[in-house]
Amino acid sequence: MSPTPVVSVRDLRVYYGTPRGTVRAVDHVSLDIGEGEVLGLVGESGCGKSTLGRGILGLLPEGAVSDGEVLYGGRNLVGMGAKELRRLRGPDLGLIFQEPMTRLNPVMRIEDHFRETLQQHEPGLSARELRTRSLETLGRMGIPPTRFRQYPHEFSGGMRQRIMIALALVLRPKLLVADEPTTSLDVIVEAQILGILSDLRQTFGTALLLITHNLGIVAEACDRVAVMYAGQIAEEGDARDVFADPAHPYTRELLRSTISLETEELHSIPGSPPNLIDPPRACRFHPRCPSAMVVCAERNPIEQRIAHGRRVLCWLHGPEELIPDGGTEPLEREEIAVADEA
């Protein structure tokens, strides 16, 4: 990994306005992704992972408000004009969408999708170069050239997902946000996709933000992992270190919920992620946390640096001087319920 980050996110916030109130989908998030590095972003549904990915690329719906910094090439993408952002998306910033059928135009052939993408960003390509490059990218996805002129509805869900990935890769972006890129794919094709993404970063130095629920993929394909909960990064560090010795209770609970060959009984985290219009006060995980202390329901946790440069947002790691007397006492389950309703 290059010591200079391809993208640096600093104190990023993304809020949505709704009739019921403001949804704080991404709340003061900071992270770096280096050249040729794969950062896995994990967490339950509704924790803000997809919003963070789109917030980095400036692809937010109308009504969303973002603040903070997303530094790319010395420029802040937050607040950048729409025209400038469009020029960057594709050759610099790429996105693999989560739902391929809703992203492919049903009245356009696959050939037309690739022609439109390449002509928009590389108008100097000849028709032969355009076709060759498109077919090479599709071939790496396991899609034969005989299907180049077919329509999206003629493909299975898994093949449509591979086409979406190919459309993102054909421009060889420097930063690629992959939002659940292996959804609906069988394990063999999933392994092929991960291999292709690995080749891409090794060959072109592409930085990759991999958003997924699959912790097995993160363990296999990612250099670092960021664990997101209720719009915040609960823990971030080297993937091997985090998996071997998770520092945040939420990370531990996620790993305990993963099924493996050694699994003897199923485990789940009680409750569900909070409503981000009105999240729990203080630590947002404390209503579900098996290690919750009194201080967790009273004060916001302060991010700490621990062994091997890992970051963790949890009072279990201090700072001790800011924990009041009695703050380390266990928080009873009845007290947790009352604290969550307050």
Side-chain angles (χ1 to χ4, degrees):
M1 185 187 74
S2 169
T4 303
V6 172
V7 63
S8 293
V9 180
R10 293 290 177 268
D11 201 30
L12 180 64
R13 287 163 287 172
V14 179
Y15 293 173
Y16 297 112
T18 73
R20 296 177 55 202
T22 301
V23 178
R24 289 174 278 183
V26 175
D27 206 3
H28 299 279
V29 166
S30 298
L31 53 83
D32 294 329
I33 310 176
E35 181 180 343
E37 180 184 37
V38 180
L39 173 65
L41 184 63
V42 302
E44 295 167 283
S45 296
C47 286
K49 302 186 302 301
S50 294
T51 299
L52 174 57
R54 297 186 184 208
I56 290 173
L57 302 181
L59 284 170
L60 295 171
E62 187 176 350
V65 177
S66 61
D67 191 16
E69 292 184 331
V70 178
L71 300 176
Y72 173 79
R75 305 171 67 190
N76 186 10
L77 303 184
V78 177
M80 183 178 286
K83 189 174 181 180
E84 291 179 277
L85 277 172
R86 278 197 297 269
R87 280 200 297 263
L88 291 175
R89 294 190 196 116
D92 289 86
L93 311 172
L95 173 64
I96 300 173
F97 289 98
Q98 187 172 358
E99 301 170 353
M101 195 55 191
T102 63
R103 306 299 172 182
L104 294 170
N105 191 326
V107 299
M108 289 174 58
R109 300 177 190 271
I110 300 306
E111 176 186 28
D112 299 327
H113 283 85
F114 278 89
R115 179 185 297 111
E116 181 182 68
T117 299
L118 286 168
Q119 286 181 343
Q120 176 69 29
H121 296 283
E122 299 184 34
L125 288 177
S126 66
R128 182 174 181 177
E129 289 172 327
L130 187 151
R131 180 180 175 85
T132 299
R133 188 148 146 199
S134 301
L135 290 177
E136 284 179 352
T137 309
L138 277 173
R140 296 175 70 187
M141 292 290 139
I143 298 177
T146 54
R147 309 203 65 178
F148 193 43
R149 289 185 51 77
Q150 291 184 322
Y151 291 93
H153 72 269
E154 298 180 87
F155 294 85
S156 66
M159 294 189 78
R160 287 195 293 266
Q161 183 69 296
R162 282 184 273 171
I163 292 169
M164 284 299 306
I165 295 172
L167 281 169
L169 298 184
V170 74
L171 291 170
R172 300 164 186 167
K174 297 178 179 62
L175 170 68
L176 181 61
V177 176
D179 192 355
E180 297 281 358
T182 58
T183 298
S184 76
L185 301 181
D186 60 62
V187 292
I188 294 176
V189 177
E190 179 182 280
Q192 293 173 350
I193 299 302
L194 293 178
I196 290 166
L197 294 177
S198 177
D199 290 342
L200 182 74
R201 67 163 179 160
Q202 291 175 8
T203 304
F204 300 107
T206 303
L208 176 62
L209 176 63
L210 180 60
I211 302 171
T212 181
H213 290 92
N214 192 327
L215 295 178
I217 288 177
V218 174
E220 179 182 349
C222 297
D223 303 298
R224 291 189 298 119
V225 58
V227 181
M228 194 166 188
Y229 185 77
Q232 300 176 331
I233 300 297
E235 181 173 358
E236 184 265 326
D238 183 271
R240 291 169 297 181
D241 294 333
V242 172
F243 276 67
D245 184 24
H248 197 285
Y250 180 57
T251 309
R252 290 200 295 268
E253 292 299 295
L254 283 180
L255 291 172
R256 286 185 64 199
S257 303
T258 303
I259 298 174
S260 69
L261 293 175
E262 287 75 34
T263 300
E264 296 181 355
E265 60 181 35
L266 298 179
H267 175 77
S268 63
I269 307 175
S272 58
N275 183 344
L276 294 181
I277 294 177
D278 185 24
R281 61 189 177 93
C283 174
R284 296 184 179 181
F285 186 58
H286 85 260
R288 307 171 67 192
C289 181
S291 305
M293 303 179 294
V294 171
V295 67
C296 303
E298 296 178 347
R299 296 187 178 183
N300 291 323
I302 298 173
E303 182 180 280
Q304 296 293 296
R305 293 274 180 175
I306 59 174
H308 308 293
R310 287 160 62 187
R311 299 186 297 148
V312 61
L313 191 67
C314 181
W315 280 113
L316 290 174
H317 300 274
E320 295 181 4
E321 62 271 16
L322 296 183
I323 299 177
D325 292 341
T328 57
E329 293 296 321
L331 191 63
E332 298 296 331
R333 186 57 53 181
E334 291 78 14
E335 294 178 17
I336 291 177
V338 171
D340 191 25
E341 292 170 1

